[in-house]
């Protein structure tokens, strides 16, 4: 029996009944208005809140990303918060097309202080809130709905009154109201209090008020939240006077899904943080929501094309760490360990190149990593990786395009090493294995001296090869003719002890080594028992590269046989 027998003490979420819901048939077709709450909700949940310098750096990054509404803090809450607000305004940090948002509880003295804090700003959203949920009314405020509504409407009256001279003075001042813990509020009451606030703020279709509907604590499934939202929007009498905003937290780990469901249900604006920083399990992650849209062909109107730089700033300023598996930005999210995934990705890249459609059709990679300024490589190679991954690295990172038939042989060498070490192999280690097992193999048979002569008669040409070869202490000379260098070499070694192989296949391509271009040749030989062995040769001379490859293959077979003995 489970030891977790306390589950009965939890009260299940009571879904909002709704008939003929329409949201499941909708699609997200355009970006919402984004509002960053990093500098407020995010900041208040840090062990060490950001200092002035860090907040400024964060603010400028948000501006660069393209966020147009930024909640900068809670200026009535502390002197530091107040000072940072003043610094942003007086220091000329706020571009004309960016609106700062300031949060305040629905309490008169804090509202007054907030008006002082925003003096001189060009565009401001004054965001006030009070808790409306059944639970908060019962256990925190011990108040009925009328009492809670009065807190909100009194605050709305004061804000409206104080705003008039400020607006007359030229400030573009807008209002936002949050029924905090909206998700746990009876929807009919949520409609009632929000409608009252809209009226007290004199909201019109031209001067809309933002109604921000938070899942302060995420306590229901995304579909249940979407039902609440669709119901709320349908019932709100002055719908056209409101901008419906989401402020999802992530307690159930479904903040992104809730946001997406909320957008389907009619929300127009999203409050979020970078990488989901925020109270407890965080606010919803702006990057994930935005990039999810992007992968559906929708412009999120935010620029995450240098996500690593944004992550570095975030980690430096917040002292938080972005986990390895965090969508779009985590260290491991563009890495395939599994061999079959690596193969499929490889095929996807090849397909994209040959099809030339420009569409992204790569299995296991929902997004082109380069759109985020990242790379698919290095493929991380561990003992679960197959033959394709190592070949992919050798090709894309080092320019060695091995023939397909050689992938299993090199893959097995790499796999044996990962098993021996018990860790993953980085690209450089894979290259080292390639070098040790192919490029550096020049014994026991060594070509000490050689020359070619080519005679062409009409369409046919005859190549003659002379060579001096050493094995251990023995040196011998060979010579032979053929229709090309490889043929001539094989004829030259005919009858020697090393002549135990049939030539199967050969591939050669250019490879650049800094400013230098070299030829690399891959040769496949088959011994008398039918076992294949590969060799690789590299040289400035395109005739010599395949000979080195043949000797490499013969030497590798010989070394393997000596080991077996
Ligand atoms: O999560 C929340 O409800 C909030 C409000 C202040 C909007 O942060
Ligand atoms: Zn919040």
């Amino acid at each position: 029996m489970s030891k977790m027998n306390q589950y009965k003490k939890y009260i299940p979420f009571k879904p909002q009944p709704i008939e003929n819901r329409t949201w499941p048939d909708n699609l997200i077709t355009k970006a919402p208005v984004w509002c960053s709450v990093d500098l407020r909700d995010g900041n208040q949940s840090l062990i060490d809140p950001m200092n002035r310098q860090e907040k400024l750096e964060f603010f400028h990054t948000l501006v660069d990303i393209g966020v147009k509404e930024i909640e900068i803090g809670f200026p009535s809450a502390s002197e530091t918060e107040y000072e940072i607000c003043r610094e942003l305004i007086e220091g000329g940090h706020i571009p004309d097309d960016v609106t700062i948002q300031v949060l305040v509880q629905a309490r008169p003295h804090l509202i007054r202080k907030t008006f002082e804090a925003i003096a001189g700003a060009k565009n401001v959203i004054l965001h006030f809130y009070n808790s409306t949920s059944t639970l908060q009314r019962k256990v925190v405020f011990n108040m009925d709905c009328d009492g809670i509504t009065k807190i909100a409407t009194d605050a709305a009256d004061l804000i409206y009154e104080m705003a008039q001279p400020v607006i007359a003075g030229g400030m573009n001042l807008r209002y936002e109201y949050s029924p905090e813990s909206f998700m746990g509020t009876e929807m009919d009451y949520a409609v009632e209090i929000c409608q009252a606030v809209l009226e007290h703020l004199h909201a019109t279709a031209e001067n809309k008020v933002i109604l921000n509907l938070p899942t302060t604590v995420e306590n229901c499934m995304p579909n249940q939240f979407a039902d609440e939202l669709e119901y709320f929007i349908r019932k709100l009498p002055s719908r056209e006077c409101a901008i419906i905003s989401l402020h999802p937290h992530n307690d159930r780990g479904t903040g992104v899904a809730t946001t997406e469901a909320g957008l389907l249900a009619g929300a127009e604006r999203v409050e979020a943080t970078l990488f989901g920083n925020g109270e407890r399990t965080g606010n919803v992650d702006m990057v994930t929501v935005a990039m999810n849209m992007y992968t559906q062909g929708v412009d999120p109107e935010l620029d995450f094309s240098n996500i690593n730089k944004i992550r570095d700033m975030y980690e430096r300023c917040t002292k938080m760490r972005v986990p390895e598996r965090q969508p779009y930005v985590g260290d491991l999210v563009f890495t395939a360990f599994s061999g079959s995934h690596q193969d499929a990705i490889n095929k996807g890249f090849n397909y994209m190149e040959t099809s030339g459609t420009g569409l992204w059709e790569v299995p296991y990679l929902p997004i082109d990593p380069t759109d985020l300024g990242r790379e698919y490589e290095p493929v991380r190679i561990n003992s679960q990786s197959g033959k394709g991954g190592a070949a992919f690295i050798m090709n894309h990172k080092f320019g060695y395009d091995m023939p397909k038939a050689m992938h299993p042989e090199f893959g097995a060498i790499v796999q044996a090493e990962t098993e021996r070490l018990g860790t993953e192999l980085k690209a450089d280690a894979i290259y080292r294995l390639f070098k040790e097992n192919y490029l550096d193999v020049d014994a026991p048979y060594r070509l000490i001296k050689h020359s070619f002569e080519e005679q062409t008669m009409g369409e046919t040409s005859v190549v003659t090869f002379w060579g001096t070869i050493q094995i251990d202490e023995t040196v011998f000379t060979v010579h032979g003719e053929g229709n090309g260098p490889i043929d001539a070499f094989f004829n030259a070694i005919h009858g020697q002890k090393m002549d135990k192989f049939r030539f199967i296949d050969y591939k050669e391509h250019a490879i650049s080594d800094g400013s230098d271009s070299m030829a690399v040749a891959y040769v496949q030989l088959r011994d008398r028992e039918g076992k294949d062995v590969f060799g690789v040769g590299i040289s400035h001379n395109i005739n010599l590269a395949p000979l080195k490859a043949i000797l490499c293959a013969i030497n590798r077979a010989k070394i393997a046989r000596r080991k077996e003995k």
Side-chain angles (χ1 to χ4, degrees):
M1 204 180 76
S2 165
K3 287 195 188 124
M4 292 188 68
N5 55 6
Q6 293 297 307
Y7 55 86
K8 288 215 165 89
K9 71 182 175 209
Y10 297 104
I11 307 164
F13 177 78
K14 235 174 56 227
Q16 171 63 51
I18 180 169
E19 276 173 19
N20 304 321
R21 59 173 69 74
T22 61
W23 66 264
D25 292 329
N26 293 340
L27 289 173
I28 297 171
T29 54
K30 66 180 175 62
V33 173
W34 299 103
C35 173
S36 151
V37 291
D38 291 271
L39 303 178
R40 195 277 299 171
D41 223 344
N43 192 46
Q44 77 189 38
S45 27
L46 294 175
I47 296 168
D48 290 322
M50 288 181 264
N51 62 28
R52 190 181 137 277
Q53 210 40 49
E54 288 160 344
K55 261 199 161 185
L56 287 179
E57 187 181 352
F58 209 124
F59 180 85
H60 286 293
T61 303
L62 292 167
V63 169
D64 291 345
I65 289 167
V67 183
K68 300 293 182 207
E69 297 182 1
I70 302 175
E71 190 162 87
I72 57 168
F74 212 137
S76 62
S78 74
E79 235 3 78
T80 326
E81 289 280 285
Y82 186 91
E83 289 306 325
I84 290 170
C85 179
R86 293 311 308 158
E87 161 88 38
L88 279 165
I89 297 166
E90 287 165 18
H93 296 282
I94 310 165
D96 284 351
D97 64 346
V98 170
T99 300
I100 55 163
Q101 179 166 310
V102 283
L103 181 71
V104 63
Q105 286 173 354
R107 295 169 69 185
H109 69 291
L110 299 179
I111 291 169
R112 288 197 187 92
K113 178 91 180 163
T114 305
F115 269 95
E116 274 172 38
I118 59 174
K122 189 167 189 294
N123 304 303
V124 178
I125 295 170
L126 199 141
H127 177 191
F128 68 109
Y129 72 98
N130 66 326
S131 296
T132 57
S133 69
T134 330
L135 180 64
Q136 294 251 14
R137 290 193 324 254
K138 184 171 82 177
V139 309
V140 182
F141 298 100
N142 192 20
M143 222 181 242
D144 63 10
C145 289
D146 287 349
I148 296 287
T149 303
K150 188 159 180 334
I151 293 174
T153 51
D154 283 355
D157 288 342
L158 178 61
I159 289 167
Y160 185 78
E161 185 195 317
M162 292 192 73
Q164 298 320 300
V166 177
I167 293 169
M171 185 187 289
N172 172 22
L173 178 63
R174 293 187 286 140
Y175 316 119
E176 171 170 332
Y177 172 66
S178 291
E180 205 238 56
S181 301
F182 165 82
M183 74 301 148
T185 306
E186 306 85 334
M187 282 303 111
D188 289 322
Y189 176 56
V191 168
E192 183 186 315
I193 190 167
C194 287
Q195 177 64 22
V197 167
L198 290 180
E199 286 166 13
H200 281 254
L201 288 173
H202 305 263
T204 63
E206 291 71 42
N207 285 311
K208 295 182 201 278
V209 166
I210 300 166
L211 288 182
N212 186 50
L213 308 174
T215 48
T216 303
V217 176
E218 188 181 56
N219 66 345
C220 65
M221 289 167 61
N223 60 308
Q224 294 169 328
F225 178 74
D227 280 353
E228 285 192 335
L229 200 65
E230 182 164 344
Y231 181 93
F232 174 90
I233 290 173
R234 273 190 208 169
K235 292 271 173 151
L236 187 70
S238 301
R239 163 71 185 99
E240 75 290 354
C241 304
I243 294 168
I244 303 297
S245 176
L246 304 173
H247 178 103
H249 280 266
N250 192 39
D251 298 78
R252 294 167 55 93
T254 54
V256 169
T258 293
T259 307
E260 291 175 336
L263 290 171
L264 295 179
E268 303 149 292
R269 183 178 184 271
V270 173
E271 295 195 347
T273 58
L274 296 183
F275 314 123
N277 183 36
E279 291 280 7
R280 305 176 309 281
T281 51
N283 288 71
V284 69
D285 172 17
M286 183 183 282
V287 179
T288 303
V289 179
M291 295 318 292
N292 283 358
M293 275 177 209
Y294 188 95
T295 63
Q296 301 304 304
V298 175
D299 180 1
E301 296 173 15
L302 295 176
D303 182 354
F304 290 118
S305 60
N306 195 344
I307 196 78
N308 288 348
K309 189 163 162 238
I310 296 168
R311 182 180 78 170
D312 288 350
M313 178 287 303
Y314 168 83
E315 291 191 335
R316 198 174 47 252
C317 292
T318 63
K319 328 270 181 314
M320 298 282 286
R321 209 179 61 76
V322 174
E324 282 83 348
R325 304 259 178 228
Q326 175 88 7
Y328 303 107
V329 63
D331 269 349
L332 295 179
V333 300
F334 297 123
T335 303
F337 287 91
S338 137
S340 63
H341 290 203
Q342 290 165 359
D343 272 350
I345 290 170
N346 225 343
K347 286 181 178 134
F349 278 122
N350 291 340
Y351 172 78
M352 287 205 30
E353 206 172 303
T354 49
S355 72
T357 63
L359 296 174
W360 183 252
E361 293 181 276
V362 180
Y364 302 109
L365 284 182
I367 190 169
D368 180 351
T370 62
D371 289 353
L372 293 144
R374 299 193 58 189
E375 288 182 354
Y376 166 54
E377 2 164 33
V379 178
R380 310 280 272 261
I381 302 292
N382 64 12
S383 59
Q384 303 306 303
S385 311
K387 50 195 164 49
F392 181 91
I393 290 199
M394 287 308 300
N395 187 3
H396 291 263
K397 190 134 176 107
F398 302 109
Y400 288 84
D401 187 10
M402 286 179 249
K404 217 155 174 27
M406 187 177 162
H407 293 190
E409 185 186 274
F410 183 54
I413 292 170
V414 172
Q415 183 154 15
E417 184 68 354
T418 57
E419 276 163 12
R420 189 181 71 79
L421 296 174
T423 62
E424 66 163 284
L425 286 187
K426 295 272 165 48
D428 287 348
I430 289 165
Y431 177 76
R432 245 189 338 270
L433 281 178
F434 184 77
K435 194 162 170 300
E436 277 165 27
N437 281 274
Y438 297 99
L439 301 181
D440 292 348
V441 177
D442 62 352
Y445 288 104
R446 220 184 287 272
L447 184 62
I448 295 174
K449 249 188 357 203
H450 81 281
S451 67
F452 285 110
E453 189 185 282
E454 184 169 359
Q455 280 189 342
T456 309
M457 285 163 286
E459 287 298 293
T460 53
S461 68
V462 175
V463 173
T464 310
F465 171 83
W466 288 270
T468 305
I469 297 173
Q470 177 177 7
I471 175 159
D472 303 328
E473 304 306 310
T474 314
V475 174
F476 58 98
T477 55
V478 293
H479 105 269
E481 284 181 358
N483 54 18
I486 296 176
D487 196 31
F489 179 78
F490 265 96
N491 289 334
I493 63 170
H494 186 68
Q496 301 288 342
K497 270 197 178 157
M498 64 196 290
D499 178 25
K500 293 195 180 94
F501 300 91
R502 205 148 52 82
F503 177 82
I504 300 295
D505 209 357
Y506 154 78
K507 171 174 173 176
E508 187 160 357
H509 65 77
I511 190 167
S512 85
D513 178 13
S515 58
D516 227 6
S517 185
M518 312 260 275
V520 56
Y522 312 85
V523 162
Q524 179 181 4
L525 304 183
R526 186 162 297 159
D527 70 13
R528 288 178 188 144
E529 285 93 53
K531 193 160 177 277
D532 284 356
V533 63
F534 288 84
V536 182
I538 184 162
S539 171
H540 284 107
N541 180 333
I542 55 165
N543 287 332
L544 184 56
L547 301 197
K548 286 175 93 173
I550 293 166
L551 277 172
C552 166
I554 293 172
N555 282 331
R556 293 187 63 244
K558 182 106 185 146
I559 294 166
R561 221 167 298 127
R562 282 181 177 176
K563 274 191 191 148
E564 278 165 18
K565 280 185 189 159

